[in-house]
Amino acid sequence: MFALSPNQSFKLHLRAYFEARDRGYPRLAAGVLNRIHRQFGVVISPRARLARSVRFAHPMNIVIGRGVVIGEDVTIYQGVTIGGARVGDAAAQSYPSIGDNTVLFAGSVIVGAISIGSNCIVGANAVVLSSVPDNSIAVGVPAVAKPRKAYPST
């Protein structure tokens, strides 16, 4: 008999969701998302478009709204909220999109019809209300985007 750690169990559930979604079983995919919500406190809308390579470093208290688009190799930490900024955003399709190779640190909030570029970092507890260009760091409340410094390889 073996037992899975909570993180391994979450990864298994997420893999089951991706398989059901990609094979054309939307009800099964929604059921798996419902179980993820009940077991881990992670709310992912069935209408959100997540890349299969998305990583959840600490899968707790995460909310991803219905029109959100998340790119390849994005890492999401605990307590992150990604969604609409106002009531009625669902009808207007006013949701954020997250570029490839981006890291969203703990407690960050990304709301509205904005885009976070590729290779970006959103700092812990940052509230992002406007678009962030590629290769930037967004920090603060409201978040201010600053260019990332290039560090030499050693």
Side-chain angles (χ1 to χ4, degrees), residues 48-73:
R49 293 190 307 252
L50 281 69
R52 287 182 76 99
S53 60
V54 67
R55 289 184 302 273
F56 293 87
H58 303 286
M60 292 296 292
N61 304 323
I62 297 169
V63 178
I64 299 175
R66 77 191 297 190
V68 173
V69 178
I70 298 180
E72 298 288 334
D73 297 318

Side-chain angles (χ1 to χ4, degrees), residues 36-113:
I36 287 173
H37 171 76
R38 285 184 286 120
Q39 189 169 351
F40 300 99
V42 175
V43 181
I44 302 172
S45 171
R47 295 187 181 171
R49 293 190 307 252
L50 281 69
R52 287 182 76 99
S53 60
V54 67
R55 289 184 302 273
F56 293 87
H58 303 286
M60 292 296 292
N61 304 323
I62 297 169
V63 178
I64 299 175
R66 77 191 297 190
V68 173
V69 178
I70 298 180
E72 298 288 334
D73 297 318
V74 172
T75 302
I76 300 173
Y77 284 82
Q78 70 274 13
V80 172
T81 301
I82 310 168
R86 293 167 191 77
V87 174
D89 278 352
Q93 293 299 311
S94 298
Y95 286 96
S97 64
I98 312 296
D100 300 338
N101 302 313
T102 295
V103 180
L104 308 175
F105 280 106
S108 59
V109 177
I110 301 163
V111 291

